[in-house]
Amino acid sequence: GQQVMQIPQYQHVQEGEDFTTYCNSSTTLSNIQWYKQRPGGHPVFLIQLVKSGEVKKQKRLTFQFGEAKKNSSLHITATQTTDVGTYFCVPNSGTYKYIFGTGTRLKVLA
Amino acid sequence: NAGVTQTPKFRVLKTGQSMTLLCAQDMNHEYMYWYRQDPGMGLRLIHYSVGEGTTAKGEVPDGYNVSRLKKQNFLLGLESAAPSQTSVYFCASSRLVTTGWVDEQFFGPGTRLTVL
């Protein structure tokens, strides 16, 4: 079955530093979604990637989908304290089930 | 629009008791999901529904039952609660985009359940 690894599990950065989290799948994906969950909150959708090699930007956030559609990354430039939370990749292999990864917990030190 | 709402927000049960969690969405979404999240963990899919009257098992379905009698509601039942079911339960909904995948999932605020 599909196995997904998200690394790192935890990341502490100084405010202003960059941050990247990676999501790697053992199988080819149809698409991948990214979510952010603030401490004590619920997951909130960030973006969905569909095409091989796709790159999308949202202000300081850059999302990439690998050429082979087996991996994805989220990069945050110049982190701010508002970026604190857990970032989840949610890959999909063409079914109606979305399996959340373990997430990367980001702490930003002011 | 209220989006996705969950009832109740908090609940404490004793082992062996039963309860039903209610999820309601007002976005006319076809797909609805129930997840559980344990401390420091990701979300695990319990059951999901691709339309009114249909349900399917997710990753961790044991000990739970669901029903989707109306398109806007998705109920999660615990017949005989166990301490291992202590968790935060999230409901989500999404619309169908095309065969094989759906659009973004909208999550409810969660229900914090403790089983003693």
Side-chain angles (χ1 to χ4, degrees):
Chain A
Q2 176 185 301
Q3 293 194 6
V4 175
M5 281 193 60
Q6 192 171 349
I7 53 174
Q9 275 193 298
Y10 304 94
Q11 185 84 58
H12 294 187
V13 298
Q14 286 291 137
E15 189 174 21
E17 291 183 338
D18 292 356
F19 159 76
T20 304
T21 175
Y22 301 89
C23 186
N24 299 306
S25 171
S26 58
T27 59
T28 302
L29 304 171
S30 291
N31 58 84
I32 191 165
Q33 297 178 344
W34 284 90
Y35 290 79
K36 176 185 178 181
Q37 184 178 26
R38 293 181 187 273
H42 59 274
V44 175
F45 176 83
L46 294 175
I47 210 156
Q48 178 160 261
L49 305 172
V50 176
K51 298 177 182 176
S52 168
E54 189 168 17
V55 178
K56 286 190 176 180
K57 293 190 175 184
Q58 290 179 350
K59 297 183 180 178
R60 295 178 295 104
L61 277 60
T62 302
F63 303 84
Q64 286 190 302
F65 203 8
E67 293 289 342
K69 299 185 78 172
K70 287 187 173 182
N71 55 71
S72 181
S73 65
L74 157 59
H75 179 81
I76 303 178
T77 303
T79 54
Q80 299 175 358
T81 54
T82 53
D83 295 325
V84 165
T86 302
Y87 293 85
F88 293 101
C89 67
V90 188
N92 180 269
S93 300
T95 72
Y96 300 119
K97 291 194 294 187
Y98 280 80
I99 306 298
F100 275 68
T102 50
T104 295
R105 190 176 300 179
L106 173 65
K107 285 194 175 181
V108 180
L109 307 172
Chain B
N1 286 353
V4 180
T5 57
Q6 293 183 233
T7 310
K9 288 186 170 54
F10 303 92
R11 186 73 187 268
V12 178
L13 290 178
K14 293 181 179 178
T15 297
Q17 287 185 317
S18 63
M19 79 163 294
T20 300
L21 282 67
L22 171 64
C23 176
Q25 53 96 2
D26 61 3
M27 296 173 281
N28 202 34
H29 286 166
E30 294 87 355
Y31 290 78
M32 295 188 75
Y33 306 83
W34 275 108
Y35 294 90
R36 62 176 287 175
Q37 185 175 35
D38 300 322
M41 302 288 285
L43 281 75
R44 291 185 292 170
L45 182 63
I46 304 171
H47 286 281
Y48 64 102
S49 169
V50 302
E52 184 178 320
T54 69
T55 63
K57 294 181 180 180
E59 295 176 273
V60 288
D62 294 342
Y64 304 95
N65 57 74
V66 289
S67 64
R68 184 122 180 250
L69 300 179
K70 294 182 179 181
K71 186 177 185 179
Q72 63 268 34
N73 296 336
F74 195 27
L75 277 62
L76 178 71
L78 285 73
E79 292 181 345
S80 180
S84 60
Q85 294 178 304
T86 294
S87 190
V88 179
Y89 291 85
F90 288 103
C91 175
S93 73
S94 61
R95 68 183 180 99
L96 174 65
V97 174
T98 185
T99 301
W101 77 65
V102 297
D103 209 349
E104 67 177 282
Q105 295 178 63
F106 292 83
F107 282 82
T111 294
R112 191 172 297 274
L113 175 65
T114 301
V115 183
L116 302 176

